[in-house]
Structure formats: structure tokens, C-alpha cells
Amino acid sequence: MGIELTALHWIYLLFIGFTILMMIFRRDITIICIAGVFLLGLTATGSIAASISGIFSSFMYAISELLSIILVISIITSMSRVLMATGINDLMISPFAKIIKTPTLAFWTIGIVMMIISWFFWPSPAVALMGAVLLPVALRVGLPALGAAMAMNLFGHGIALSGDFIIQAAPKLSGDAAGITASDVITASIPLIIIMGIVTTVTAFVLLKRDMKKGKLDSLKKFSAEEILKKNEESELPLPVKRIFAAIIPLLFVANIIMMFTLKLQGGEATALIGGTSVLILIFTSIAAHKQQALEKTTKFLIEGLQFGFRVFGPVIPIAAFFYLGGGGFEQMIGSPLPEGSEGIINDLGTALAAVVPITKSLGAFTIAAVGVITGLDGSGFSGLPLTGSIAALFGKAIGSGTASLTALGQITTIWIGGGTLIPWALNTCGCHLQCRSF
């Protein structure tokens, strides 16, 4: 028995089409999503006042769903700022500089360290945390600056951000839109990320070595390891204390990982553990470094982190609000239930699509990948995740399975395109290009 589609379903589908079309032309879709929320509210309630209120309610709903992620990223950014201000980040990274003896070791060491740090700090803060230390050493041993940038982007903004296993911002956003859990998205994404990571990094390394051999790329040598250590000594915090913090901080995050596995913490619980640890590190580091000014400095770092978090997720909130309407948030946002018998707009559309068009797994995968590429072109990396998650749910319902895998595929393609590997999202959001240009 087929599901009868109403005006709500067709309006939702129409605005999905508008959204994809605007993204093809690299236009902002915020107004389109807000208009979609308004029109859905007006159709469902017949009241202009209720539909106007629905816009605000949808924003509130989206913020409530995303707030834990926004906060943890803000807090981690705040913590990274104090680590950079005190020079602790240099000491945390400097041991890896001893491994870098050749261009090959430089490429893979920078990439792997960047990936690990990005899992905990997110890629944009990670660039600033490690770039000032490892990049000069890499240049000294003959790795071109472009090679170091390739490694940092592919491993950080590519592999680490597209999986986002620790902070889980991306899988939560994708999973919420698809109606599945973040852990389902993470599990489905692991084989895809491994394949994507191996293919891209190996290909990039081979092409880099080819161009180096042909003399197309030059390496700039500006700083030595001794000069880096000298910069550490000039920091406000005494060197012995910095060494203590540099040793303790990684151990705290390793302890977080152990606790996640032993206590089976996932999703919001895992995010809260990372966030709480970051707050404690921020406070104690500020106290040790700034003493009487610790209260004011801690607040300053928190404000900077919150500004970063809301700058990244500000455009995502209205977009997520619209696509949450396709799942289980319709009644909470609009104040009016869906038609009787409806399983959610996206599920209804998926069921109807399956009854009309024979959808195969290959077609579904190709479509999701294409949508991911298109949505990534806006350079956000995250604004397209609600769309890919919703379409993954639609095709998963039509196929009868594979929603998690399709959601993970959409997440990976969106972030690899728009998360900083192809479109320079990282440079736009954190200003790290100002530091990179100095080299």
C-alpha cells in the first residue's frame, strides 16, 4: 500500500531541489531554507503567525540539537589558544621533529601527527598548534612547503575531519538528518575513510616526489630546531612548567580514549568528556601562565573560542533547521503534527520513490556522492551535511537498507570537498593562512 503524498511532501522536495541548484551555482542557501520552513509551517497550520513563529522555533530546535557540538569545538579552540600563547604546543609537538630526517619522513610524520591532533583539537586549531614547529623542520630537510601543506590538509581536513571519531560533530549532524545515531555513521564510515585516505595520500605523495625530482618545487629553509626551542624559552611560562603541561595534556586525552572504551561512552557522553577535560586544561594552564590575570585571560580565551564555534556553525543552524523538519522534529518546530499515517517526510518520500522508480544501491551511492560534491562547493564542509543525511535517508528507505553507509558516503564527499582539502574552508574560518604565509 503506497503512502499518499501531501503538499508538505512536495514543498519539502521542491526546496531540496532549490537547495541543490543554488549550491551548484555556489550561492548561499540560508534564505532558501528559512523560506522552506516558513512555507511548510504555513501549509501545515494555515496561520501566518504560527509559520513566522515556526522559523524561530526551528532555529531553537536546531541549536538545541547542535549546542553540545558547538560548545565542545569552542572550548577546544579556547584551549588551543592558551596552549599557543604559552608555547606549550611547541613542546608537545617538538619530539616529532626529531623523527623528521628526510622529505619522505617529513611528509608522513606531519600527516599522521596532524591527523591525530585533529581528532582531538579539530583541524583548524591543529594547524596552528603544530604548523609553527613541524613546518620549519620539514623545510629544513628538503620537503617543499606545498608538500607540508598537502600532508596537513589530506590527513587533517580530509581523513580526520571526515571521520570526526572523537568530537563527533560531523557524524551527529549527518546522523540526525538521516534519523540514525552518530555511532552508526562512524561505524559505516571506517572502511570508506580508510580507502579514501590511502588512495589520496599515496597518490599525493607519488605526485609530490615526481615534481620534486623534476625540480618543479623548491624548499625554503628558514628555521632550525634550535631556533624553535629558543622561541619556547621566550614564552611567559617557565620552561620546566611547560614541559610538565606538555607531558600531562596528551596523557589526559589518552585517558579520555581509554574511558570511552571501558565505560562505553558514545555520542554526547564522549563529547562531554572531551569538553570537560579541555575546560580543566584551559583553567589550570591559564592559572599557571597568567596568575593574577588568570580570571580575565580565561574569559578572553573562552570568548575567542565561542566566536570561532558560532562562526563555523552559524550558517549551519538555519540549514539544519529546515532538514530536521524531514525527520522527527516537525511537530516540535511547527507545532502541528504531520498527516495521519506519516512516518516523517523523508521516510514517506523514500517509500513513494521506491514504489515508482527502481532504485539500486549503485545509483544511490552515485547520487549521494554527487550531492556531497555539490554541497561541498560552498566551502563550509558542514552546511551540506543535513542535506546529504536527508537524501541518504530517502534513498535508504527506497532501497530498504544502507542508510548508514549512504550517510557516511555523503559526509565524506562533502567534507573532503568543502572541509579544506579542495575548497579552502580552513583558511576562511581560522585565519591560519596568515601564519602559513610567513613561511
Side-chain angles (χ1 to χ4, degrees):
M1 178 179 173
I3 292 179
E4 182 180 353
L5 299 183
T6 66
L8 291 174
H9 297 89
W10 293 114
I11 292 171
Y12 189 85
L13 189 60
L14 179 65
F15 274 88
I16 287 180
F18 282 160
T19 299
I20 295 175
L21 181 63
M22 290 298 102
M23 285 186 163
I24 291 175
F25 290 103
R26 300 188 64 178
R27 302 299 301 273
D28 193 272
I29 60 172
T30 299
I31 293 179
I32 294 175
C33 290
I34 293 173
V37 172
F38 174 81
L39 194 54
L40 286 169
L42 184 62
T43 303
T45 64
S47 167
I48 294 180
S51 57
I52 293 175
S53 300
I55 295 174
F56 183 79
S57 299
S58 68
F59 278 33
M60 290 292 294
Y61 183 89
I63 290 173
S64 67
E65 292 292 316
L66 299 174
L67 186 58
S68 62
I69 297 301
I70 298 173
L71 279 178
V72 75
I73 290 172
S74 300
I75 290 168
I76 288 173
T77 302
S78 301
M79 180 190 64
S80 69
R81 298 287 170 88
V82 74
L83 295 183
M84 288 185 287
T86 55
I88 293 173
N89 66 306
D90 291 351
L91 285 180
M92 289 173 60
I93 303 300
S94 58
F96 297 101
K98 300 176 182 178
I99 304 174
I100 299 176
K101 304 294 183 182
T102 65
T104 297
L105 284 173
F107 179 88
W108 294 105
T109 301
I110 286 176
I112 292 172
V113 173
M114 177 69 181
M115 178 180 69
I116 294 172
I117 294 178
S118 296
W119 279 335
F120 294 93
F121 292 87
W122 245 39
S124 295
V127 170
L129 280 172
M130 65 175 289
V133 178
L134 294 188
L135 182 56
V137 179
L139 297 176
R140 187 188 64 190
V141 299
L143 180 69
L146 180 61
M150 290 165 61
M152 294 174 78
N153 267 339
L154 291 175
F155 281 90
H157 294 98
I159 297 173
L161 187 60
S162 66
D164 200 8
F165 300 138
I166 306 300
I167 300 175
Q168 301 182 8
K172 174 175 173 52
L173 192 56
S174 299
D176 285 350
I180 56 178
T181 65
S183 59
D184 290 336
V185 180
I186 291 173
T187 302
S189 70
I190 291 175
L192 299 176
I193 290 171
I194 291 174
I195 294 171
M196 187 74 164
I198 292 174
V199 171
T200 54
T201 55
V202 171
T203 302
F205 178 72
V206 170
L207 295 176
L208 175 66
K209 294 290 285 185
R210 182 200 65 184
D211 289 345
M212 289 174 62
K213 187 176 292 185
K214 291 180 179 180
K216 292 183 178 180
L217 298 174
D218 296 323
S219 176
L220 303 175
K221 304 176 182 179
K222 286 192 175 183
F223 299 105
S224 65
E226 291 76 17
E227 290 171 314
I228 293 167
L229 291 176
K230 183 178 179 182
K231 287 196 297 183
N232 282 332
E233 294 170 358
E234 294 171 354
S235 175
E236 298 177 21
L237 200 62
L239 187 58
V241 179
K242 284 195 294 187
R243 285 175 174 162
I244 293 173
F245 276 97
I248 291 176
I249 290 171
L251 292 177
L252 289 175
F253 284 112
V254 170
N256 281 179
I257 294 294
I258 295 173
M259 292 174 68
M260 287 179 192
F261 281 103
T262 55
L263 301 178
K264 297 181 179 179
L265 302 179
Q266 294 180 343
E269 294 176 333
T271 300
L273 181 62
I274 293 291
T277 302
S278 301
V279 170
L280 293 177
I281 293 171
L282 167 64
I283 293 172
F284 285 111
T285 305
S286 295
I287 292 173
H290 304 294
K291 299 178 176 62
Q292 289 87 354
Q293 296 182 331
L295 296 176
E296 291 75 17
K297 289 289 187 179
T298 301
T299 301
K300 173 179 174 291
F301 289 126
L302 279 173
I303 291 172
E304 291 177 357
L306 287 167
Q307 287 174 337
F308 174 83
F310 278 92
R311 186 164 67 247
V312 171
F313 278 88
V316 177
I317 290 170
I319 298 170
F322 171 74
F323 287 103
Y324 280 148
L325 286 172
F330 190 91
E331 187 169 354
Q332 293 93 318
M333 288 186 271
I334 300 299
S336 174
L338 287 166
E340 185 177 353
S342 174
E343 298 179 358
I345 295 177
I346 284 294
N347 286 336
D348 295 346
L349 289 171
T351 302
L353 183 64
V356 177
V357 181
I359 303 296
T360 64
K361 295 180 179 179
S362 299
L363 178 61
F366 177 82
T367 303
I368 288 294
V371 171
V373 170
I374 292 169
T375 56
L377 293 176
D378 72 343
S380 168
F382 270 63
S383 63
L385 295 183
L387 173 59
T388 57
S390 295
I391 295 178
L394 192 155
F395 277 92
K397 183 71 174 180
I399 296 169
S401 63
T403 298
S405 296
L406 290 173
T407 303
L409 178 61
Q411 173 179 300
I412 291 169
T413 52
T414 301
I415 291 179
W416 273 85
I417 297 297
T421 51
L422 184 60
I423 306 299
W425 170 77
L427 304 186
N428 292 333
T429 57
C430 76
C432 292
H433 60 297
L434 298 177
Q435 299 179 29
C436 296
R437 283 177 184 171
S438 66
F439 295 110

